[in-house]
């Protein structure tokens, strides 16, 4: 049965002037036909989630994007042409600034304010819970840098703190440790 389908496909290609072995034709690249095939928007978001945060160099940012796009091509989730288009968007946008910002959706945040990992903040909705004052997230980096970031973060959750401090310390040799001060007045907005 499979051979019959291949013969029908080869005959259809031949009638269109193509060949089943001619890779120089302009027919579109095959993309997975399962639910794993991604839209360009979904693929861009997946790459953004994988490469979010600051980079020491523009080349490092582009290398992350290229590696993630190549992985999606190998999985047949996107075509090489789609990957090139996505890479181009990042290389002429976020990678120029050496930082790919996160989003509320990527972080799973539906309330409060979170850092965008590039020096700004994102408002993901009204204040979280009963604590209207963001917590002071203290990030200790390997090179000795200490970063203080006001964010709606669960101070009792190490992984939640790592989501903030890992990317924030990326250009400082990585994360060494974290600390969190709940409802710190430093973070109160006037």
């Amino acid at each position: 049965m499979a051979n019959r389908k291949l013969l029908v496909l080869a005959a259809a290609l031949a009638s269109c002037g193509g060949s089943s072995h001619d890779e120089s034709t302009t027919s579109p690249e095959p993309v997975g036909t399962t639910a794993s095939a991604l839209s360009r928007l979904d693929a861009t978001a997946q790459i953004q989630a994988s490469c979010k945060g600051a980079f020491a160099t523009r080349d490092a940012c582009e290398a992350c994007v290229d590696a993630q796009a190549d992985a999606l091509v190998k999985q047949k989730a996107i075509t090489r042409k789609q990957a090139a288009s996505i890479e181009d968007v990042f290389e002429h946008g976020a990678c120029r600034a050496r930082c790919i910002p996160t989003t509320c959706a990527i972080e799973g945040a539906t309330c409060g304010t979170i850092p965008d990992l590039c020096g700004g903040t994102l408002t993901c909705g009204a204040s979280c819970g009963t604590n209207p004052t963001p917590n002071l997230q203290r990030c200790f980096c390997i090179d000795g840098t200490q970063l203080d970031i006001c964010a709606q973060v669960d101070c009792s959750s190490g992984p939640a703190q790592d989501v903030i401090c890992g990317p924030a310390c990326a250009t400082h040799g990585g994360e060494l440790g974290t600390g969190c001060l709940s409802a710190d007045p430093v973070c109160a907005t006037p």
Side-chain angles (χ1 to χ4, degrees):
M1 183 74 173
N3 287 339
R4 185 172 179 211
K5 287 181 180 178
L6 287 174
L7 289 173
V8 171
L9 177 60
L13 286 171
S15 70
C16 294
S19 164
S20 60
H21 297 288
D22 184 2
E23 295 182 20
S24 65
T25 63
T26 59
S27 60
E29 291 180 61
V31 176
T33 55
T34 65
S36 65
L38 300 174
S39 71
R40 184 178 180 278
L41 184 60
D42 289 339
T44 301
Q46 188 170 328
I47 292 168
Q48 182 176 6
S50 297
C51 296
K52 66 186 179 187
F55 292 86
T57 65
R58 180 177 176 177
D59 288 342
C61 179
E62 292 174 1
C64 182
V65 170
D66 292 348
Q68 293 301 315
D70 288 345
L72 292 174
V73 170
K74 286 179 184 169
Q75 296 167 11
K76 297 195 181 297
I78 60 173
T79 65
R80 183 68 236 154
K81 185 176 180 180
Q82 288 171 313
S85 176
I86 293 167
E87 290 166 349
D88 190 55
V89 168
F90 281 106
E91 290 168 5
H92 289 93
C95 286
R96 282 192 177 186
R98 298 184 334 222
C99 192
I100 297 176
T102 191
T103 67
C104 296
I106 289 170
E107 299 305 328
T110 58
C111 62
T113 302
I114 63 170
D116 71 358
L117 308 180
C118 294
T121 57
L122 300 167
T123 300
C124 301
S127 292
C128 299
T130 60
N131 182 7
T133 303
N135 298 326
L136 179 64
Q137 177 64 56
R138 189 156 281 161
C139 304
F140 301 96
C141 306
I142 290 175
D143 70 358
T145 301
Q146 176 182 314
L147 302 171
D148 289 341
I149 302 169
C150 293
Q152 291 291 349
V153 62
D154 180 357
C155 285
S156 64
S157 171
Q161 294 178 54
D162 291 338
V163 165
I164 294 170
C165 291
C169 286
T171 59
H172 300 283
E175 177 187 315
L176 182 62
T178 64
C180 189
L181 304 171
S182 184
D184 193 284
V186 169
C187 295
T189 55

